[in-house]
Each structure stands twice: as C-alpha cells, then as structure tokens.
CSV table of all heavy atoms in Angstrom, one decimal:
chain,number,residue,atom,x,y,z
A,1,SER,N,-0.8,-2.3,-10.3
A,1,SER,CA,-1.5,-2.4,-9.1
A,1,SER,C,-2.3,-1.2,-8.8
A,1,SER,O,-1.9,-0.1,-9.3
A,1,SER,CB,-0.6,-2.8,-7.9
A,1,SER,OG,-0.1,-4.0,-8.1
A,2,ILE,N,-3.3,-1.2,-7.9
A,2,ILE,CA,-3.8,-0.1,-7.3
A,2,ILE,C,-3.6,-0.1,-5.8
A,2,ILE,O,-3.7,-1.2,-5.2
A,2,ILE,CB,-5.3,0.0,-7.5
A,2,ILE,CG1,-5.6,0.1,-9.0
A,2,ILE,CG2,-6.0,1.3,-6.9
A,2,ILE,CD1,-7.1,0.0,-9.3
A,3,TYR,N,-3.1,1.0,-5.1
A,3,TYR,CA,-2.9,1.1,-3.7
A,3,TYR,C,-3.8,2.1,-3.0
A,3,TYR,O,-4.1,3.2,-3.7
A,3,TYR,CB,-1.4,1.6,-3.5
A,3,TYR,CG,-0.3,0.7,-4.0
A,3,TYR,CD1,-0.1,0.7,-5.3
A,3,TYR,CD2,0.3,-0.3,-3.2
A,3,TYR,CE1,1.0,-0.2,-5.8
A,3,TYR,CE2,1.1,-1.2,-3.6
A,3,TYR,CZ,1.6,-1.1,-5.0
A,3,TYR,OH,2.5,-2.1,-5.4
A,4,GLU,N,-4.2,1.8,-1.9
A,4,GLU,CA,-4.8,2.8,-0.9
A,4,GLU,C,-3.8,3.4,0.1
A,4,GLU,O,-3.2,2.4,0.6
A,4,GLU,CB,-6.0,2.3,-0.2
A,4,GLU,CG,-6.6,3.3,0.6
A,4,GLU,CD,-7.9,2.8,1.3
A,4,GLU,OE1,-8.1,1.6,1.2
A,4,GLU,OE2,-8.5,3.5,2.0
A,5,VAL,N,-3.5,4.6,0.1
A,5,VAL,CA,-2.6,5.0,1.1
A,5,VAL,C,-3.2,6.1,2.1
A,5,VAL,O,-3.9,6.9,1.6
A,5,VAL,CB,-1.4,5.9,0.5
A,5,VAL,CG1,-0.4,6.4,1.4
A,5,VAL,CG2,-0.8,5.0,-0.7
A,6,ARG,N,-3.0,5.7,3.3
A,6,ARG,CA,-3.5,6.7,4.4
A,6,ARG,C,-2.2,7.4,5.1
A,6,ARG,O,-1.7,6.8,6.0
A,6,ARG,CB,-4.4,6.0,5.4
A,6,ARG,CG,-5.5,5.5,4.7
A,6,ARG,CD,-6.6,4.9,5.7
A,6,ARG,NE,-7.8,4.4,5.0
A,6,ARG,CZ,-8.8,3.7,5.5
A,6,ARG,NH1,-8.7,3.4,6.9
A,6,ARG,NH2,-9.7,3.2,4.9
A,7,ARG,N,-2.0,8.6,4.4
A,7,ARG,CA,-0.7,9.3,5.1
A,7,ARG,C,-0.9,9.6,6.3
A,7,ARG,O,0.2,9.4,7.2
A,7,ARG,CB,-0.4,10.5,4.1
A,7,ARG,CG,0.2,10.1,2.8
A,7,ARG,CD,0.4,11.4,2.1
A,7,ARG,NE,1.7,11.3,1.3
A,7,ARG,CZ,2.2,12.1,0.5
A,7,ARG,NH1,1.6,13.3,0.4
A,7,ARG,NH2,3.3,11.8,-0.1
A,8,ASP,N,-2.0,10.0,6.9
A,8,ASP,CA,-2.1,10.5,8.3
A,8,ASP,C,-2.0,9.3,9.3
A,8,ASP,O,-1.4,9.4,10.3
A,8,ASP,CB,-3.5,11.1,8.4
A,8,ASP,CG,-4.7,10.3,8.0
A,8,ASP,OD1,-4.4,9.4,7.2
A,8,ASP,OD2,-5.7,10.5,8.7
A,9,GLU,N,-2.4,8.1,8.8
A,9,GLU,CA,-2.2,6.9,9.6
A,9,GLU,C,-0.9,6.0,9.3
A,9,GLU,O,-0.6,5.1,9.9
A,9,GLU,CB,-3.4,5.8,9.4
A,9,GLU,CG,-4.8,6.6,9.8
A,9,GLU,CD,-5.9,5.7,9.4
A,9,GLU,OE1,-5.7,4.5,9.1
A,9,GLU,OE2,-7.0,6.1,9.3
A,10,LYS,N,-0.2,6.6,8.3
A,10,LYS,CA,1.2,6.0,7.9
A,10,LYS,C,0.9,4.5,7.6
A,10,LYS,O,1.7,3.6,8.1
A,10,LYS,CB,2.3,6.2,9.0
A,10,LYS,CG,2.7,7.7,9.0
A,10,LYS,CD,4.0,7.9,9.7
A,10,LYS,CE,4.2,9.3,9.7
A,10,LYS,NZ,5.5,9.5,9.2
A,11,ARG,N,0.0,4.2,6.8
A,11,ARG,CA,-0.1,2.9,6.3
A,11,ARG,C,-0.7,2.7,4.9
A,11,ARG,O,-1.2,3.7,4.3
A,11,ARG,CB,-1.1,2.0,7.2
A,11,ARG,CG,-2.5,2.6,7.2
A,11,ARG,CD,-3.3,1.9,8.3
A,11,ARG,NE,-4.7,2.3,8.3
A,11,ARG,CZ,-5.7,1.5,8.6
A,11,ARG,NH1,-5.5,0.2,8.8
A,11,ARG,NH2,-6.9,2.0,8.4
A,12,PHE,N,-0.5,1.7,4.2
A,12,PHE,CA,-0.8,1.5,2.7
A,12,PHE,C,-1.2,0.0,2.6
A,12,PHE,O,-1.0,-0.8,3.3
A,12,PHE,CB,0.3,1.8,1.8
A,12,PHE,CG,1.5,0.9,1.7
A,12,PHE,CD1,1.5,-0.1,0.8
A,12,PHE,CD2,2.4,0.9,2.7
A,12,PHE,CE1,2.5,-1.0,0.6
A,12,PHE,CE2,3.5,0.0,2.6
A,12,PHE,CZ,3.6,-0.9,1.5
A,13,ARG,N,-2.0,-0.2,1.4
A,13,ARG,CA,-2.3,-1.6,1.1
A,13,ARG,C,-2.5,-1.7,-0.4
A,13,ARG,O,-2.9,-0.7,-1.0
A,13,ARG,CB,-3.6,-2.1,1.8
A,13,ARG,CG,-4.8,-1.3,1.4
A,13,ARG,CD,-6.0,-1.8,2.1
A,13,ARG,NE,-7.2,-1.1,1.9
A,13,ARG,CZ,-8.5,-1.5,2.2
A,13,ARG,NH1,-8.7,-2.7,2.4
A,13,ARG,NH2,-9.4,-0.8,1.8
A,14,ARG,N,-2.3,-2.8,-1.0
A,14,ARG,CA,-2.5,-3.0,-2.5
A,14,ARG,C,-4.1,-3.5,-2.4
A,14,ARG,O,-4.4,-4.3,-1.7
A,14,ARG,CB,-1.7,-4.1,-3.0
A,14,ARG,CG,-0.5,-3.6,-3.5
A,14,ARG,CD,0.4,-4.6,-4.4
A,14,ARG,NE,0.0,-6.0,-4.0
A,14,ARG,CZ,0.0,-6.9,-5.0
A,14,ARG,NH1,0.2,-6.6,-6.1
A,14,ARG,NH2,-0.4,-8.1,-4.7
A,15,ILE,N,-4.9,-2.9,-3.3
A,15,ILE,CA,-6.3,-3.1,-3.3
A,15,ILE,C,-6.7,-3.9,-4.6
A,15,ILE,O,-7.8,-4.4,-4.7
A,15,ILE,CB,-7.1,-2.0,-3.0
A,15,ILE,CG1,-6.8,-0.7,-4.0
A,15,ILE,CG2,-6.9,-1.6,-1.6
A,15,ILE,CD1,-7.9,0.3,-3.7
A,16,HIS,N,-5.7,-3.9,-5.7
A,16,HIS,CA,-6.1,-4.5,-6.8
A,16,HIS,C,-4.7,-4.7,-7.6
A,16,HIS,O,-3.8,-3.9,-7.5
A,16,HIS,CB,-7.1,-3.7,-7.7
A,16,HIS,CG,-7.5,-4.4,-8.9
A,16,HIS,ND1,-8.3,-5.4,-8.9
A,16,HIS,CD2,-7.3,-4.0,-10.4
A,16,HIS,CE1,-8.5,-5.8,-10.2
A,16,HIS,NE2,-7.9,-4.9,-11.0
A,17,GLU,N,-4.8,-5.7,-8.4
A,17,GLU,CA,-3.6,-5.9,-9.3
A,17,GLU,C,-4.1,-6.3,-10.7
A,17,GLU,O,-5.0,-7.0,-10.9
A,17,GLU,CB,-2.6,-7.1,-8.6
A,17,GLU,CG,-3.2,-8.5,-8.6
A,17,GLU,CD,-2.2,-9.4,-8.0
A,17,GLU,OE1,-1.5,-9.0,-7.1
A,17,GLU,OE2,-2.3,-10.6,-8.3
A,18,PHE,N,-3.3,-5.9,-11.7
A,18,PHE,CA,-3.7,-6.0,-13.1
A,18,PHE,C,-2.9,-7.3,-13.8
A,18,PHE,O,-3.5,-7.7,-14.7
A,18,PHE,CB,-3.4,-4.8,-13.9
A,18,PHE,CG,-4.1,-3.5,-13.5
A,18,PHE,CD1,-3.3,-2.5,-12.9
A,18,PHE,CD2,-5.5,-3.4,-13.5
A,18,PHE,CE1,-4.0,-1.4,-12.3
A,18,PHE,CE2,-6.1,-2.4,-13.0
A,18,PHE,CZ,-5.4,-1.4,-12.5
A,19,GLY,N,-1.9,-7.5,-13.3
A,19,GLY,CA,-1.0,-8.7,-13.9
A,19,GLY,C,0.1,-9.0,-12.9
A,19,GLY,O,-0.3,-9.2,-11.7
A,20,PRO,N,1.3,-9.3,-13.4
A,20,PRO,CA,2.3,-9.7,-12.4
A,20,PRO,C,2.5,-8.6,-11.4
A,20,PRO,O,2.4,-7.5,-11.5
A,20,PRO,CB,3.5,-9.8,-13.2
A,20,PRO,CG,3.0,-9.7,-14.7
A,20,PRO,CD,1.7,-9.0,-14.7
A,21,ALA,N,2.6,-9.1,-10.1
A,21,ALA,CA,2.6,-8.2,-9.0
A,21,ALA,C,3.9,-7.4,-9.1
A,21,ALA,O,5.0,-8.0,-9.4
A,21,ALA,CB,2.7,-9.0,-7.7
A,22,ASP,N,3.9,-6.1,-8.7
A,22,ASP,CA,5.1,-5.3,-8.8
A,22,ASP,C,5.8,-5.3,-7.4
A,22,ASP,O,7.0,-4.9,-7.3
A,22,ASP,CB,4.8,-3.9,-9.2
A,22,ASP,CG,3.7,-3.2,-8.5
A,22,ASP,OD1,3.0,-3.9,-7.7
A,22,ASP,OD2,3.5,-2.1,-8.8
A,23,VAL,N,5.1,-5.9,-6.4
A,23,VAL,CA,5.6,-6.0,-5.0
A,23,VAL,C,5.1,-7.3,-4.4
A,23,VAL,O,4.1,-7.9,-4.9
A,23,VAL,CB,5.3,-4.8,-4.2
A,23,VAL,CG1,6.2,-3.5,-4.6
A,23,VAL,CG2,3.9,-4.6,-4.0
A,24,GLU,N,5.7,-7.8,-3.4
A,24,GLU,CA,5.3,-9.2,-2.8
A,24,GLU,C,4.3,-8.9,-1.6
A,24,GLU,O,4.3,-9.6,-0.7
A,24,GLU,CB,6.5,-9.8,-2.3
A,24,GLU,CG,7.4,-10.2,-3.5
A,24,GLU,CD,6.7,-11.1,-4.5
A,24,GLU,OE1,5.9,-12.0,-4.1
A,24,GLU,OE2,7.0,-11.0,-5.6
A,25,PHE,N,3.5,-7.7,-1.7
A,25,PHE,CA,2.6,-7.5,-0.6
A,25,PHE,C,1.2,-8.1,-1.0
A,25,PHE,O,0.7,-7.8,-2.1
A,25,PHE,CB,2.3,-6.1,-0.3
A,25,PHE,CG,3.7,-5.5,0.3
A,25,PHE,CD1,4.6,-4.7,-0.5
A,25,PHE,CD2,4.0,-5.7,1.7
A,25,PHE,CE1,5.7,-4.2,0.2
A,25,PHE,CE2,5.1,-5.2,2.2
A,25,PHE,CZ,5.9,-4.5,1.5
A,26,PRO,N,0.6,-9.0,-0.1
A,26,PRO,CA,-0.8,-9.5,-0.5
A,26,PRO,C,-1.8,-8.5,-0.7
A,26,PRO,O,-1.8,-7.3,0.0
A,26,PRO,CB,-1.1,-10.5,0.6
A,26,PRO,CG,-0.1,-10.3,1.7
A,26,PRO,CD,1.1,-9.4,1.2
A,27,VAL,N,-2.7,-8.5,-1.6
A,27,VAL,CA,-3.8,-7.7,-1.8
A,27,VAL,C,-4.8,-7.5,-0.5
A,27,VAL,O,-5.0,-8.7,0.0
A,27,VAL,CB,-4.7,-8.0,-2.9
A,27,VAL,CG1,-5.9,-7.3,-3.1
A,27,VAL,CG2,-3.9,-8.0,-4.2
A,28,GLY,N,-5.1,-6.4,0.0
A,28,GLY,CA,-6.0,-6.2,1.0
A,28,GLY,C,-5.4,-6.0,2.5
A,28,GLY,O,-6.0,-5.4,3.2
A,29,ARG,N,-4.2,-6.4,2.5
A,29,ARG,CA,-3.6,-6.3,3.9
A,29,ARG,C,-2.9,-4.9,4.1
A,29,ARG,O,-2.2,-4.4,3.2
A,29,ARG,CB,-2.5,-7.4,4.2
A,29,ARG,CG,-2.0,-7.5,5.4
A,29,ARG,CD,-1.1,-8.6,5.7
A,29,ARG,NE,-0.2,-8.3,6.9
A,29,ARG,CZ,0.9,-8.9,7.0
A,29,ARG,NH1,1.4,-9.7,6.1
A,29,ARG,NH2,1.6,-8.6,8.2
A,30,TRP,N,-3.0,-4.2,5.2
A,30,TRP,CA,-2.5,-3.0,5.6
A,30,TRP,C,-1.0,-3.2,6.0
A,30,TRP,O,-0.8,-4.2,6.7
A,30,TRP,CB,-3.2,-2.2,6.6
A,30,TRP,CG,-4.5,-1.7,6.2
A,30,TRP,CD1,-5.8,-2.2,6.4
A,30,TRP,CD2,-4.8,-0.5,5.4
A,30,TRP,NE1,-6.7,-1.6,5.8
A,30,TRP,CE2,-6.1,-0.4,5.2
A,30,TRP,CE3,-3.8,0.4,4.8
A,30,TRP,CZ2,-6.7,0.6,4.5
A,30,TRP,CZ3,-4.4,1.5,4.2
A,30,TRP,CH2,-5.8,1.5,4.1
A,31,PHE,N,-0.1,-2.3,5.6
A,31,PHE,CA,1.2,-2.4,5.9
A,31,PHE,C,1.7,-1.0,6.5
A,31,PHE,O,1.3,0.0,5.8
A,31,PHE,CB,2.2,-2.7,4.8
A,31,PHE,CG,2.0,-4.2,4.3
A,31,PHE,CD1,1.0,-4.4,3.4
A,31,PHE,CD2,2.7,-5.3,5.0
A,31,PHE,CE1,0.9,-5.7,3.0
A,31,PHE,CE2,2.5,-6.5,4.6
A,31,PHE,CZ,1.5,-6.8,3.6
A,32,PRO,N,2.3,-1.0,7.6
A,32,PRO,CA,2.8,0.5,8.1
A,32,PRO,C,4.0,0.9,7.4
A,32,PRO,O,4.8,0.2,6.8
A,32,PRO,CB,3.1,0.2,9.5
A,32,PRO,CG,3.5,-1.3,9.6
A,32,PRO,CD,2.7,-1.9,8.5
A,33,PHE,N,4.2,2.2,7.3
A,33,PHE,CA,5.4,2.8,6.7
A,33,PHE,C,5.8,4.0,7.5
A,33,PHE,O,5.1,4.5,8.3
A,33,PHE,CB,5.2,3.2,5.3
A,33,PHE,CG,4.3,4.4,5.0
A,33,PHE,CD1,4.7,5.7,5.1
A,33,PHE,CD2,2.9,4.1,4.7
A,33,PHE,CE1,3.8,6.7,4.9
A,33,PHE,CE2,2.1,5.2,4.4
A,33,PHE,CZ,2.4,6.4,4.5
A,34,HIS,N,7.1,4.3,7.6
A,34,HIS,CA,7.7,5.4,8.4
A,34,HIS,C,7.7,6.6,7.5
A,34,HIS,O,7.5,7.7,7.9
A,34,HIS,CB,9.0,5.0,8.7
A,34,HIS,CG,9.7,6.2,9.7
A,34,HIS,ND1,9.3,6.4,11.0
A,34,HIS,CD2,10.6,7.0,9.4
A,34,HIS,CE1,10.1,7.5,11.4
A,34,HIS,NE2,10.8,7.9,10.5
A,35,ARG,N,8.0,6.4,6.2
A,35,ARG,CA,8.2,7.4,5.2
A,35,ARG,C,7.8,7.0,3.8
A,35,ARG,O,8.0,5.8,3.5
A,35,ARG,CB,9.5,8.1,5.2
A,35,ARG,CG,9.8,9.3,4.5
A,35,ARG,CD,11.2,9.9,4.6
A,35,ARG,NE,12.2,9.2,3.9
A,35,ARG,CZ,12.4,9.4,2.6
A,35,ARG,NH1,11.6,10.2,1.9
A,35,ARG,NH2,13.4,8.8,1.9
A,36,MET,N,7.3,8.0,3.0
A,36,MET,CA,7.1,7.6,1.5
A,36,MET,C,7.5,8.7,0.7
A,36,MET,O,7.6,9.8,1.1
A,36,MET,CB,5.6,7.2,1.3
A,36,MET,CG,4.8,8.3,1.4
A,36,MET,SD,2.9,7.9,1.0
A,36,MET,CE,3.0,8.1,-0.8
A,37,THR,N,7.9,8.4,-0.4
A,37,THR,CA,8.3,9.4,-1.6
A,37,THR,C,6.9,10.0,-2.1
A,37,THR,O,5.9,9.5,-1.9
A,37,THR,CB,9.1,8.9,-2.6
A,37,THR,OG1,8.3,7.8,-3.3
A,37,THR,CG2,10.4,8.3,-2.1
A,38,GLU,N,7.2,11.3,-2.7
A,38,GLU,CA,6.0,11.9,-3.2
A,38,GLU,C,5.4,11.1,-4.5
A,38,GLU,O,6.3,10.7,-5.2
A,38,GLU,CB,6.3,13.3,-3.6
A,38,GLU,CG,6.5,14.3,-2.6
A,38,GLU,CD,5.2,14.4,-1.8
A,38,GLU,OE1,4.0,14.5,-2.2
A,38,GLU,OE2,5.3,14.4,-0.5
C-alpha cells in the first residue's frame, strides 16, 4: 500500500493498494492516531 501521513495533524490514510490489503482500512478515509513508530 501507499499511505499519506500528516504527523502534525496526527492522521493517516491509505491512498493506494497494490495487492492484498496489509490492513483493514479503506482506501481514502482519514484515521486519527495518537502515536506512530518511526
């Protein structure tokens, strides 16, 4: 997949997938996060 991450806004979204999804998040929808790894 390809993800767009906006660290300053603490949100991410999947914007493209190449094959079987590696996570169950729909493409295009923003999801908030509290923390992320480097």
